[in-house]
Amino acid sequence: MYWPLGAPRIYAANPRPQDPRTGTDDATAQTDLLALRVSRNGYLFATITTSTLTVWQTRPTAVLALVVRSAQSLTNYGSNVSLLLRPDSGIIVVQTARGYLITYSLATDPSARVYKQQHEYNQTRRHSMAGRMAAQAETESIREVSVRFRMVIKVDAGVGKALALDDELVVATEKPAAVQCIRWTPDSSGSQTSTELLSRMAWMSRKTNIVDMVHDRAMSLSAWITGDGKVYAVQRLSPVAKISESPQRLFHGYSFHDPTNEDQHATKAAINARFSLIAIGCVNGQVHVYSAKDYVGGIPLSHRLTPPVSVTSSGQITFLVWSPDGYCLFAGFENGWVTWSVYGKPGGSSFTSDRSVSESNAEGWLLGVRDGCWLFGGSEMLLLGQNDDRLWILDLARSATTSCFSPANISRTLLQTYSGLMVYRGYDLPDLTTISADSSLWHHVQIPDSFLLNQGPIRSTVISPDGRYIAVAGRRGLAHYSVGSGRWKTFDDPQAESAFALRGGMCWYQHILIAAVEAGDSFQLRLHSRELPLDLSSTLHVESIPSPAVVISPSGHDSLLVYTFENTLYHYIITATVDAVKLVLVGQIAFHGLIRAPARVRAVSWILPDTQMQDGDPSQDVVAASVVFLVDGKLVLLQPTTTDSGDPKYDMRVIAHNVEYYVLMRDQLSNTLSQGEIPSMASPLSSELHFGQADQGLTDSLWIFNGIDMHVWLDVQDVLSSAALESAKGLSSSIKVSVDFYPLSILISKGILLGIESELVQRRDVNFALFRLALRTHLFLPPLLLHHLAHYDSPAALHLAYYYKHLSYFPHALEMLLHTVLDDEVDTTPSPENALLPTILSFLSSFPEYLDILVQCTRKTELRSWRTLFSYLPPPQELFEDSLQKGLLKTAGGYLLVLHTFEELGSSSEQLVRLLRKAKQEQDWDLCKELARFLMALDESGTALREALELMELKTPIGRDQNGLASSSDARDSRLQPRTNGLGLGLSVVGDTSRSHSQASSGSRSRSPVSPGQSDTGTKSEGPEDYFSMPTN
């Protein structure tokens, strides 16, 4: 997932054309940018205004060439309206208002530079520094390009939309409605154009025209949007020799978006080749995402994306564009923009901005965007504002999982930007520190300038399972970093660094970096030690593989899985001795006929039986293992079995769809153990159990994130057993954990999901806005416990809760469990035999915090919920006595309010006097003061307070005594000023409290963590008579 970060950089270079009559700048000329296009390699992009064409270099961002059309040209051909750029950036096409296509050729001299830094080196400077600065100067210099007029193409039928492809220019004409293909160079027969009328295309609607077209080279697929709001998936037919007079067919396609009303009419489209998705923007502002399963009509609807505001506020969609890796969709609107993850989790958005502030600061990037493109592999977003002559380049941070799917990248939050990395370091800290928003928990790493300038952008990043080391790979070469020492290691020899490129990913085994690379015509697995210099002579081991690796993944304590383009999975054992570390191939599996497109595999893992993992021969792992593939968004399980004749085979089963990532927890814990650590969730009950047994809590669980919620199977063995059964029941059901942010890591030992979200910061004392990252956490324990209890499996719930009872916020997790069930049953009112609340209360009574949890729950729920809750509990008087007997004085005070609400407490009640006397004996003067305030709330005359003090053999207070108790008049005044400290229970004598807090607490922001016995001031009761605000234990 991607998150906007910081404030954008601003660029502008639009000189006004001269007035031919006066020779001065024409003040009436339009200089607003209309469109932009970026080249396939990302080094160049072009922009247009009504009369100019500008060619830019992306980094450093600078103008390379400028074409200003003359007044005569504007008169003859019309002003600029649209821009096309051939993918190799060799030809630029400008569409004009009068139906002309003006083409320009773009030539680049690799050795020529418009601007180049000069450094004078003296004898005292080190040669290494001189070489580094020379390399930077070469990279930072601005190239020289030449833009030359090529030709003007007149399209008499009118240009509706055009596409610039590698071999031809595709033009959709208006009258007649047709598609014309114009080759850049004539074919062998000398022909350069071919045309097909839409009316001759049997698969298209009659009497329609094309209003927009997009094309994806990787999928060889186009999407055509027609005037009636439909969208067609179209493929170009291969040219064949003409053998008859009948018109030649050029395209074949079919409709997959057929709107039922005008709100669903399509306006924009974008194709995601990485996940085989097609996004369609509609008139109502929604985005419909379709899954392209095949090329013969199988494009069903996958999911819908809804912007955070109505179409009235957002305006129409202006453009849609997927990130280069396919993990993020950027949608531009007339009045803002928004991002989503590939399967629908919202990311950054400009709709949270204060438009009045944005308008006063002229921040066009927040007010609405006309066009946009991704730069540097998704590290930056280039935006054009509405009616603006400036370019905005916005930095984005993305999860390292998008570039390298590794268990370590999921267990350790690692973000990468264009020039640096951000590592979250709160995993090994105390519980409450882990979920804090302290910026010191983030470790910021700057990537070496020399590596970034020579090999940028960064294409892959991976962290070690223990968080000590990080490795990055660019276009070629790699480098690694030690978090402890803060030192980078790079290749000293630039030629050695550029001699190979990462192909298939990286992973860490202790301090050894394993990288799958392509070096010339060979494909290898290389092992580099963090302790040795980074050069070819120091490589620990080189293992050749027959074809490029698609993905590599550690498994277990010492296994490495390598899946290659030849559809084969190789199993290596990492063997380490005193003198060497090497890979030993112990098995392989061919999946021919099972995985149709190896390039679409994003991750691979396997699940070994417990007996094989503990005592089996590693060479037999390939026979016994069940293999898990993540193909596009489908999580596929392959289970070994045999045919009737005894031959081995694999049964395939799709476990889940729309999977953004998955976590096989046994892999995460195995990698942690291989680093010499012991998971902190281990408990005395399971200290004698071996790894892999089902009695290990969540150590054998399977987690997936589907873009909306997190889903978990508590035991992956249940998935295997249910998948093997050919029954109508299907797979065992998963447990849904709802989150309102994007989860990045699962902290299994702390019981939380960790994620981040972008926040837009606008201040009136500065003239710019910026995005910052906010840490978010969510307790996953309540829904897991609820799952067990809903199936009346209290022993399993108690066993799971045992692993987390040491956490400081464990009582809060139990409280959230009670809130969830209570709120649901208050609304649905189930019959007594179907009610789940008695089971929950019985479960909670097993913990010493039981009485506190009940009081906390009453504080945060409406009064109408109390009757439902206490209908399954002992009388409040009995709970009060239990609290008083156990010395939980503040908890007992909470039950006094319940007694009063149920009209079981009088103004001179014995319970009040007993609690007040007990508080005096314990010298809890704060509680004494709260009880005095409560008595004044019951009897404003002060009589009840005087009687209570007399029963305690205390004199009637006058003024304020030495113990701080208020007098009658002071107490009467104090009730008008209810306490708002962070330890108050916040209970009201009269009035309801909102239930919204109970729903928000489990996913509370980390900046205000709520721990047991504490509540922040924002959750205080808003009732008008908050007299009884007592601190909890």
Side-chain angles (χ1 to χ4, degrees):
M1 182 53 181
Y2 289 66
W3 297 270
L5 185 64
R9 304 186 303 277
I10 309 172
Y11 300 89
N14 296 300
R16 296 183 183 276
Q18 290 188 345
D19 189 335
R21 296 169 296 180
T22 62
T24 59
D25 291 348
D26 186 0
T28 62
Q30 295 293 327
T31 61
D32 295 341
L33 295 174
L34 302 179
L36 69 87
R37 292 292 181 270
V38 66
S39 63
R40 180 185 296 158
N41 57 22
Y43 292 141
L44 300 174
F45 68 91
T47 61
I48 61 169
T49 66
T50 56
S51 59
T52 64
L53 165 66
T54 309
V55 180
W56 300 71
Q57 178 175 285
T58 51
R59 188 171 292 271
T61 306
V63 174
L64 300 181
L66 176 66
V67 176
V68 181
R69 292 179 56 197
S70 65
Q72 183 66 33
S73 175
L74 294 173
T75 302
N76 294 339
Y77 306 126
S79 59
N80 302 337
V81 295
S82 186
L83 175 66
L84 302 173
L85 180 64
R86 198 169 70 176
D88 63 359
S89 67
I91 297 178
I92 302 175
V93 182
V94 177
Q95 179 184 341
T96 69
R98 299 187 61 183
Y100 289 89
L101 299 175
I102 305 177
T103 62
Y104 300 89
S105 61
L106 183 65
T108 304
D109 187 351
S111 60
R113 295 291 186 268
V114 175
Y115 166 80
K116 187 174 183 179
Q117 297 184 28
Q118 299 293 330
H119 300 279
E120 295 181 0
Y121 303 106
N122 54 42
Q123 297 297 327
T124 61
R125 294 196 177 188
R126 292 182 299 176
H127 294 288
S128 59
M129 180 62 68
R132 180 172 176 266
M133 296 180 68
Q136 291 184 9
E138 177 66 20
T139 307
E140 292 178 350
S141 58
I142 298 176
R143 304 176 182 181
E144 180 179 357
V145 300
S146 173
V147 179
R148 296 182 179 272
F149 171 77
R150 193 167 181 263
M151 69 173 68
V152 176
I153 303 174
K154 179 175 175 57
V155 182
D156 295 328
V159 180
K161 189 66 178 179
L163 280 177
L165 307 181
D166 291 312
D167 300 323
E168 60 188 7
L169 180 66
V170 181
V171 180
T173 61
E174 296 176 340
K175 297 180 180 180
V179 178
Q180 189 173 22
C181 300
I182 306 173
R183 295 182 59 85
W184 301 116
T185 57
D187 57 17
S188 57
S189 63
S191 175
Q192 196 167 355
T193 62
S194 55
T195 305
E196 184 176 7
L197 296 173
L198 297 188
S199 59
R200 300 291 180 88
M201 300 178 185
W203 43 272
M204 286 197 69
S205 302
R206 296 288 184 257
K207 297 182 180 180
T208 188
N209 63 317
I210 298 174
V211 297
D212 198 8
M213 296 188 297
V214 295
H215 178 79
D216 184 79
R217 179 172 175 262
M219 293 185 67
S220 187
L221 186 70
S222 298
W224 293 358
I225 301 177
T226 57
D228 55 2
K230 294 184 178 181
V231 186
Y232 296 83
V234 182
Q235 280 191 298
R236 179 77 156 89
L237 298 177
S238 301
V240 296
K242 189 174 182 178
I243 58 177
S244 66
E245 296 298 329
S246 60
Q248 183 179 359
R249 295 181 58 197
L250 302 178
F251 300 95
H252 174 70
Y254 47 88
S255 172
F256 65 90
H257 176 78
D258 195 356
T260 57
N261 54 62
E262 291 187 1
D263 287 343
Q264 296 181 358
H265 280 203
T267 58
K268 297 294 177 180
I271 301 176
N272 184 341
R274 187 67 181 87
F275 289 86
S276 302
L277 299 174
I278 305 177
I280 304 299
C282 301
V283 172
N284 61 3
Q286 284 190 339
V287 179
H288 294 199
V289 183
Y290 293 84
S291 176
K293 294 184 176 180
D294 52 50
Y295 292 99
V296 294
I299 305 184
L301 179 66
S302 173
H303 55 281
R304 291 183 175 90
L305 307 176
T306 303
V309 295
S310 66
V311 66
T312 305
S313 301
S314 67
Q316 293 297 310
I317 297 177
T318 54
F319 71 93
L320 295 173
V321 57
W322 291 98
S323 61
D325 57 20
Y327 278 89
C328 179
L329 176 65
F330 194 104
F333 292 81
E334 292 176 338
N335 300 322
W337 52 265
V338 65
T339 65
W340 289 282
S341 69
V342 58
Y343 288 114
K345 179 61 70 175
S349 171
S350 69
F351 294 112
T352 58
S353 65
D354 186 332
R355 293 190 66 86
S356 61
V357 176
S358 301
E359 290 172 354
S360 63
N361 294 333
E363 293 186 290
W365 66 289
L366 295 174
L367 299 173
V369 287
R370 181 191 295 267
D371 205 348
C373 293
W374 292 93
L375 298 178
F376 305 111
S379 300
E380 296 177 348
M381 190 71 192
L382 177 61
L383 298 172
L384 298 185
Q386 295 280 3
N387 304 318
D388 202 341
D389 62 350
R390 296 169 294 176
L391 292 170
W392 308 81
I393 299 182
L394 178 64
D395 292 325
L396 291 103
R398 56 175 171 164
S399 170
T401 307
T402 62
S403 63
C404 183
F405 198 107
S406 170
N409 280 352
I410 301 176
S411 64
R412 299 270 177 176
T413 297
L414 174 63
L415 305 179
Q416 67 180 77
T417 62
Y418 176 81
S419 59
L421 306 170
M422 298 172 63
V423 186
Y424 178 70
R425 300 187 300 177
Y427 294 98
D428 303 321
L429 298 177
D431 304 335
L432 295 181
T433 307
T434 299
I435 62 176
S436 70
D438 189 353
S439 59
S440 63
L441 296 179
W442 289 99
H443 180 68
H444 296 262
V445 182
Q446 177 68 38
I447 299 174
D449 291 338
S450 57
F451 182 81
L452 189 62
L453 295 172
N454 294 326
Q455 307 299 344
I458 300 302
R459 294 189 174 179
S460 184
T461 307
V462 68
I463 192 171
S464 61
D466 57 7
R468 297 172 58 190
Y469 308 115
I470 303 173
V472 298
R475 290 180 290 109
R476 304 192 71 82
L478 56 83
H480 47 71
Y481 173 81
S482 171
V483 176
S485 66
R487 299 184 61 181
W488 282 92
K489 285 189 178 180
T490 60
F491 281 87
D492 293 331
D493 183 4
Q495 293 184 352
E497 181 180 74
S498 301
F500 68 94
L502 190 71
R503 188 80 179 273
M506 304 178 288
C507 64
W508 286 93
Y509 175 76
Q510 298 182 11
H511 67 283
I512 306 299
L513 176 64
I514 305 175
V517 303
E518 178 183 1
D521 296 331
S522 62
F523 307 100
Q524 304 168 344
L525 299 174
R526 294 184 178 179
L527 275 62
H528 299 276
S529 173
R530 170 65 197 176
E531 310 299 330
L532 299 176
L534 192 55
D535 55 58
L536 297 181
S537 61
S538 301
T539 303
L540 297 179
H541 179 71
V542 177
E543 181 78 14
S544 296
I545 52 179
S547 63
V550 177
V551 62
I552 67 173
S553 177
S555 179
H557 300 302
D558 57 358
S559 293
L560 179 69
L561 304 180
V562 180
Y563 180 70
T564 65
F565 273 90
E566 63 179 7
N567 214 350
T568 302
L569 179 66
Y570 295 91
H571 177 211
Y572 292 89
I573 294 295
I574 306 172
T575 60
T577 62
V578 177
D579 301 326
V581 178
K582 62 180 180 179
L583 299 176
V584 178
L585 180 64
V586 295
Q588 63 185 58
I589 313 172
F591 294 105
H592 302 296
L594 295 174
I595 306 297
R596 295 185 300 174
R600 311 202 71 84
V601 173
R602 296 166 48 210
V604 61
S605 305
W606 71 13
I607 305 169
L608 292 172
D610 294 338
T611 55
Q612 177 67 23
M613 185 165 50
Q614 296 166 13
D615 305 317
D617 182 1
S619 62
Q620 298 301 311
D621 287 354
V622 295
V623 179
S626 297
V627 186
V628 178
F629 283 96
L630 182 57
V631 186
D632 291 339
K634 297 186 292 293
L635 193 62
V636 180
L637 174 65
L638 299 177
Q639 292 182 279
T641 183
T642 57
T643 62
D644 296 337
S645 59
D647 297 329
K649 70 168 187 176
Y650 282 90
D651 291 335
M652 177 183 292
R653 186 72 178 267
V654 178
I655 300 177
H657 295 272
N658 294 0
V659 178
E660 297 200 10
Y661 66 83
Y662 74 94
V663 180
L664 194 57
M665 199 55 65
R666 61 165 57 189
D667 280 346
Q668 284 199 359
L669 298 181
S670 295
N671 285 321
T672 302
L673 289 172
S674 69
Q675 309 298 320
E677 299 179 2
I678 300 176
S680 60
M681 72 171 293
S683 63
L685 285 181
S686 59
S687 59
E688 299 180 356
L689 300 176
H690 296 289
F691 175 82
Q693 291 182 325
D695 204 23
Q696 281 281 321
L698 299 176
T699 57
D700 211 20
S701 55
L702 173 64
W703 302 69
I704 67 167
F705 180 63
N706 65 359
I708 303 298
D709 302 308
M710 186 71 76
H711 290 259
V712 56
W713 286 271
L714 299 179
D715 191 347
V716 72
Q717 299 298 333
D718 294 339
V719 179
L720 299 182
S721 58
S722 60
L725 298 176
E726 297 182 0
S727 64
K729 294 183 178 179
L731 290 173
S732 59
S733 60
S734 62
I735 305 172
K736 184 176 73 171
V737 182
S738 300
V739 289
D740 60 354
F741 58 92
Y742 195 96
L744 290 174
S745 298
I746 304 165
L747 280 67
I748 197 71
S749 63
K750 297 181 182 296
I752 61 175
L753 302 178
L754 180 72
I756 58 175
E757 66 178 359
S758 284
E759 291 183 342
L760 181 62
V761 179
Q762 288 181 295
R763 297 178 53 177
R764 297 187 181 275
D765 56 345
V766 294
N767 61 354
F768 63 90
L770 58 89
F771 279 96
R772 67 182 180 187
L773 300 181
L775 195 68
R776 296 290 308 276
T777 57
H778 184 89
L779 287 167
F780 65 69
L781 190 57
L784 270 57
L785 295 175
L786 180 59
H787 170 79
H788 286 309
L789 297 174
H791 290 79
Y792 303 101
D793 192 357
S794 295
L798 289 170
H799 180 77
L800 178 61
Y802 182 87
Y803 291 100
Y804 299 97
K805 70 176 185 178
H806 66 282
L807 297 175
S808 57
Y809 45 81
F810 175 70
H812 180 65
L814 298 181
E815 181 187 339
M816 302 324 301
L817 172 65
L818 178 58
H819 273 298
T820 301
V821 178
L822 178 60
D823 291 346
D824 180 66
E825 298 202 354
V826 167
D827 294 334
T828 58
T829 315
S831 59
E833 58 271 14
N834 295 326
L836 184 59
L837 189 57
T839 305
I840 300 297
L841 294 173
S842 175
F843 169 75
L844 295 179
S845 65
S846 305
F847 301 95
E849 302 88 354
Y850 171 60
L851 295 172
D852 290 324
I853 293 171
L854 295 180
V855 167
Q856 291 281 10
C857 184
T858 57
R859 181 179 70 85
K860 299 175 183 177
T861 56
E862 299 174 347
L863 292 177
R864 70 188 186 98
S865 303
W866 292 17
R867 294 289 181 184
T868 303
L869 175 62
F870 283 92
S871 64
Y872 299 105
L873 288 172
Q877 174 66 35
E878 184 177 332
L879 297 175
F880 170 81
E881 297 292 343
D882 291 343
S883 301
L884 202 60
Q885 182 180 2
K886 294 179 180 180
L888 304 176
L889 303 186
K890 294 165 185 153
T891 302
Y895 289 111
L896 288 181
L897 179 60
V898 178
L899 289 170
H900 170 74
T901 304
F902 290 163
E903 298 181 353
E904 299 177 11
L905 180 69
S907 60
S908 59
S909 174
E910 176 194 0
Q911 295 94 328
L912 265 170
V913 176
R914 291 171 56 200
L915 181 58
L916 189 58
R917 180 181 294 111
K918 190 72 172 178
K920 174 180 174 294
Q921 294 174 357
E922 299 291 336
Q923 296 187 353
D924 190 344
W925 307 120
D926 287 335
L927 180 57
C928 290
K929 185 165 56 178
E930 295 294 342
L931 291 173
R933 181 183 293 116
F934 181 62
L935 285 170
M936 288 301 302
L938 297 179
D939 183 6
E940 296 185 3
S941 66
T943 303
L945 179 59
R946 284 192 295 269
E947 293 177 353
L949 295 177
E950 290 172 357
L951 291 174
M952 294 174 58
E953 299 180 354
L954 291 177
K955 296 180 180 180
T956 303
I958 301 176
R960 187 175 296 272
D961 67 14
Q962 60 181 356
N963 294 326
L965 285 174
S967 67
S968 299
S969 59
D970 292 336
R972 188 179 299 111
D973 294 337
S974 66
R975 69 182 179 82
L976 301 177
Q977 299 175 351
R979 290 182 54 181
T980 58
N981 63 69
L983 296 177
L985 282 173
L987 293 173
S988 301
V989 175
V990 181
D992 292 347
T993 58
S994 173
R995 287 191 299 163
S996 61
H997 176 75
S998 67
Q999 300 297 329
S1001 296
S1002 64
S1004 61
R1005 296 178 182 268
S1006 59
R1007 68 178 67 89
S1008 57
V1010 180
S1011 62
Q1014 290 186 338
S1015 63
D1016 65 6
T1017 57
T1019 63
K1020 184 179 177 299
S1021 171
E1022 298 180 359
E1025 299 181 5
D1026 189 11
Y1027 308 119
F1028 193 45
S1029 179
M1030 301 190 311
T1032 62
N1033 284 337

